[in-house]
Amino acid sequence: MADGRATLKAMLASSRQRERTIIEQTNRENETVAKLLVQMTLSKGEIKATDIRIPKGYDAATKSELASGWLSAVAEENENMKVKGTYSKTDIKDLPVGTNILSCRWVFDAKTLGNGDLERLKARIVARGYEGVKGVDYMQTYSPVASHPTIRLFFFLSVQLGLHIKYIDFKAAYLNSTTNGLSIYVKP
């Protein structure tokens, strides 16, 4: 009788293990199919930007239904930074004494076409500059931004002179800026 119970328990445990294995395999297959569907849908432009929930951080992006799209945007950003040489790894022991190390975070957004269709997903890593100390981490800040009246004047003159205006989008244009020898330290 004891042998029968032990055999029954072993068979039940084996059955449960097989069931768990099948469920795990099915989940992995479903995730793979979902990722492929997301990539296919993104490439066909079938998603409107208004249908997308923009994640608030890296963890939210990896748990999103568009996780594969967000992660490919993260990989693209990392590759752009590597190509431009905007960062290098430094051992914390090699930093100058009194160095302020800034933290950073990922910012996500969806870039759209003129008709509202999704063009691509974007990811940017940004330093939390508000943690910096003026005179230590930076000397001054400057961000050239055109005002609305200036833009309207530009369009007005273009129409009056019969000029054509073309829109150009530079990927990772901000990576071309210089820091004039100032080093900024950011922890990953």
Side-chain angles (χ1 to χ4, degrees), residues 23-41 64-69:
I23 290 171
E24 288 172 4
Q25 183 177 359
T26 304
N27 287 342
R28 281 193 300 271
E29 289 171 359
N30 287 345
E31 286 176 15
T32 303
V33 169
K35 286 179 183 178
L36 289 172
L37 286 173
V38 165
Q39 289 171 349
M40 288 170 44
T41 306
S64 163
E65 58 194 21
L66 295 174
S68 62

Short mmCIF file of all heavy atoms in Angstrom, two decimals, residues 23-41 64-69:
data_model
loop_
_atom_site.label_atom_id
_atom_site.label_comp_id
_atom_site.label_asym_id
_atom_site.label_seq_id
_atom_site.Cartn_x
_atom_site.Cartn_y
_atom_site.Cartn_z
N ILE A 23 3.86 24.72 -19.80
CA ILE A 23 3.38 26.09 -19.61
C ILE A 23 4.51 27.09 -19.84
O ILE A 23 4.34 28.10 -20.52
CB ILE A 23 2.76 26.27 -18.20
CG1 ILE A 23 1.43 25.50 -18.13
CG2 ILE A 23 2.57 27.74 -17.86
CD1 ILE A 23 0.85 25.42 -16.74
N GLU A 24 5.70 26.81 -19.28
CA GLU A 24 6.85 27.70 -19.47
C GLU A 24 7.23 27.81 -20.95
O GLU A 24 7.50 28.89 -21.46
CB GLU A 24 8.05 27.22 -18.65
CG GLU A 24 7.89 27.42 -17.17
CD GLU A 24 9.00 26.75 -16.36
OE1 GLU A 24 9.93 26.19 -16.96
OE2 GLU A 24 8.91 26.78 -15.12
N GLN A 25 7.24 26.66 -21.64
CA GLN A 25 7.58 26.65 -23.06
C GLN A 25 6.53 27.45 -23.85
O GLN A 25 6.88 28.23 -24.74
CB GLN A 25 7.66 25.22 -23.58
CG GLN A 25 8.09 25.14 -25.03
CD GLN A 25 8.23 23.70 -25.48
OE1 GLN A 25 8.04 22.76 -24.73
NE2 GLN A 25 8.57 23.53 -26.75
N THR A 26 5.28 27.25 -23.54
CA THR A 26 4.20 27.98 -24.22
C THR A 26 4.34 29.48 -23.97
O THR A 26 4.18 30.29 -24.90
CB THR A 26 2.82 27.50 -23.73
OG1 THR A 26 2.74 26.09 -23.93
CG2 THR A 26 1.69 28.19 -24.47
N ASN A 27 4.64 29.87 -22.72
CA ASN A 27 4.83 31.29 -22.41
C ASN A 27 5.98 31.89 -23.22
O ASN A 27 5.88 33.00 -23.73
CB ASN A 27 5.06 31.50 -20.91
CG ASN A 27 3.80 31.30 -20.10
OD1 ASN A 27 2.69 31.35 -20.65
ND2 ASN A 27 3.94 31.08 -18.81
N ARG A 28 7.10 31.14 -23.30
CA ARG A 28 8.25 31.62 -24.08
C ARG A 28 7.86 31.77 -25.55
O ARG A 28 8.21 32.75 -26.20
CB ARG A 28 9.44 30.68 -23.94
CG ARG A 28 10.21 30.86 -22.64
CD ARG A 28 11.55 30.14 -22.69
NE ARG A 28 11.43 28.71 -22.91
CZ ARG A 28 11.30 27.80 -21.95
NH1 ARG A 28 11.28 28.18 -20.69
NH2 ARG A 28 11.20 26.52 -22.24
N GLU A 29 7.15 30.79 -26.08
CA GLU A 29 6.72 30.86 -27.49
C GLU A 29 5.77 32.04 -27.70
O GLU A 29 5.87 32.75 -28.69
CB GLU A 29 6.06 29.55 -27.90
CG GLU A 29 7.03 28.40 -28.03
CD GLU A 29 6.34 27.05 -28.24
OE1 GLU A 29 5.09 27.00 -28.26
OE2 GLU A 29 7.07 26.06 -28.38
N ASN A 30 4.85 32.24 -26.76
CA ASN A 30 3.91 33.37 -26.87
C ASN A 30 4.65 34.70 -26.84
O ASN A 30 4.31 35.62 -27.57
CB ASN A 30 2.86 33.31 -25.76
CG ASN A 30 1.85 32.20 -25.97
OD1 ASN A 30 1.75 31.65 -27.06
ND2 ASN A 30 1.13 31.86 -24.92
N GLU A 31 5.65 34.82 -25.96
CA GLU A 31 6.44 36.05 -25.89
C GLU A 31 7.18 36.29 -27.20
O GLU A 31 7.23 37.41 -27.71
CB GLU A 31 7.45 35.99 -24.74
CG GLU A 31 6.83 36.15 -23.37
CD GLU A 31 7.85 35.98 -22.25
OE1 GLU A 31 9.07 36.01 -22.52
OE2 GLU A 31 7.42 35.81 -21.10
N THR A 32 7.75 35.23 -27.77
CA THR A 32 8.46 35.36 -29.04
C THR A 32 7.51 35.80 -30.15
O THR A 32 7.83 36.70 -30.93
CB THR A 32 9.13 34.01 -29.42
OG1 THR A 32 10.00 33.62 -28.36
CG2 THR A 32 9.90 34.13 -30.72
N VAL A 33 6.35 35.17 -30.21
CA VAL A 33 5.35 35.54 -31.23
C VAL A 33 4.91 36.99 -31.02
O VAL A 33 4.80 37.76 -31.98
CB VAL A 33 4.14 34.57 -31.18
CG1 VAL A 33 2.99 35.10 -32.03
CG2 VAL A 33 4.55 33.19 -31.65
N ALA A 34 4.68 37.39 -29.78
CA ALA A 34 4.26 38.76 -29.48
C ALA A 34 5.33 39.76 -29.92
O ALA A 34 5.02 40.80 -30.53
CB ALA A 34 3.97 38.93 -28.00
N LYS A 35 6.61 39.45 -29.65
CA LYS A 35 7.70 40.34 -30.06
C LYS A 35 7.75 40.46 -31.58
O LYS A 35 7.92 41.56 -32.12
CB LYS A 35 9.04 39.83 -29.54
CG LYS A 35 9.24 40.05 -28.06
CD LYS A 35 10.57 39.49 -27.60
CE LYS A 35 10.73 39.63 -26.10
NZ LYS A 35 11.99 39.07 -25.62
N LEU A 36 7.60 39.34 -32.27
CA LEU A 36 7.62 39.37 -33.73
C LEU A 36 6.45 40.18 -34.28
O LEU A 36 6.60 40.96 -35.22
CB LEU A 36 7.59 37.95 -34.31
CG LEU A 36 8.87 37.14 -34.12
CD1 LEU A 36 8.64 35.70 -34.55
CD2 LEU A 36 9.99 37.76 -34.92
N LEU A 37 5.27 40.00 -33.68
CA LEU A 37 4.10 40.76 -34.12
C LEU A 37 4.30 42.26 -33.90
O LEU A 37 3.95 43.07 -34.75
CB LEU A 37 2.84 40.29 -33.39
CG LEU A 37 2.28 38.95 -33.84
CD1 LEU A 37 1.14 38.52 -32.92
CD2 LEU A 37 1.79 39.02 -35.27
N VAL A 38 4.88 42.63 -32.76
CA VAL A 38 5.15 44.04 -32.48
C VAL A 38 6.12 44.60 -33.51
O VAL A 38 5.90 45.67 -34.07
CB VAL A 38 5.70 44.23 -31.04
CG1 VAL A 38 6.31 45.61 -30.87
CG2 VAL A 38 4.59 44.01 -30.04
N GLN A 39 7.20 43.86 -33.79
CA GLN A 39 8.18 44.33 -34.75
C GLN A 39 7.58 44.46 -36.14
O GLN A 39 7.83 45.43 -36.85
CB GLN A 39 9.40 43.39 -34.78
CG GLN A 39 10.24 43.50 -33.54
CD GLN A 39 11.31 42.44 -33.47
OE1 GLN A 39 11.33 41.49 -34.23
NE2 GLN A 39 12.23 42.61 -32.52
N MET A 40 6.75 43.48 -36.54
CA MET A 40 6.11 43.55 -37.85
C MET A 40 5.15 44.72 -37.93
O MET A 40 5.10 45.45 -38.91
CB MET A 40 5.37 42.24 -38.14
CG MET A 40 6.28 41.07 -38.44
SD MET A 40 5.44 39.47 -38.51
CE MET A 40 3.99 39.79 -39.44
N THR A 41 4.39 44.93 -36.86
CA THR A 41 3.42 46.02 -36.83
C THR A 41 4.12 47.36 -36.87
O THR A 41 3.71 48.28 -37.58
CB THR A 41 2.53 45.91 -35.58
OG1 THR A 41 1.95 44.61 -35.54
CG2 THR A 41 1.43 46.94 -35.59
N SER A 64 6.66 46.61 -20.82
CA SER A 64 5.62 47.07 -21.73
C SER A 64 5.34 46.04 -22.81
O SER A 64 6.14 45.16 -23.09
CB SER A 64 6.10 48.37 -22.38
OG SER A 64 5.37 48.69 -23.52
N GLU A 65 4.17 46.15 -23.43
CA GLU A 65 3.84 45.25 -24.54
C GLU A 65 4.73 45.53 -25.76
O GLU A 65 4.87 44.69 -26.62
CB GLU A 65 2.37 45.39 -24.92
CG GLU A 65 1.97 46.80 -25.31
CD GLU A 65 0.47 47.01 -25.36
OE1 GLU A 65 -0.26 46.24 -24.72
OE2 GLU A 65 0.05 47.97 -26.02
N LEU A 66 5.33 46.72 -25.81
CA LEU A 66 6.27 47.05 -26.89
C LEU A 66 7.72 46.97 -26.41
O LEU A 66 8.58 47.68 -26.91
CB LEU A 66 5.98 48.46 -27.41
CG LEU A 66 4.64 48.68 -28.08
CD1 LEU A 66 4.43 50.15 -28.41
CD2 LEU A 66 4.53 47.83 -29.32
N ALA A 67 7.99 46.09 -25.45
CA ALA A 67 9.32 46.00 -24.85
C ALA A 67 10.42 45.80 -25.89
O ALA A 67 11.48 46.43 -25.81
CB ALA A 67 9.36 44.87 -23.82
N SER A 68 10.19 44.96 -26.89
CA SER A 68 11.22 44.73 -27.89
C SER A 68 11.53 46.00 -28.67
O SER A 68 12.68 46.28 -29.00
CB SER A 68 10.83 43.59 -28.83
OG SER A 68 9.66 43.93 -29.54
N GLY A 69 10.51 46.81 -28.95
CA GLY A 69 10.72 48.07 -29.64
C GLY A 69 11.49 49.07 -28.79
O GLY A 69 12.39 49.75 -29.28
#
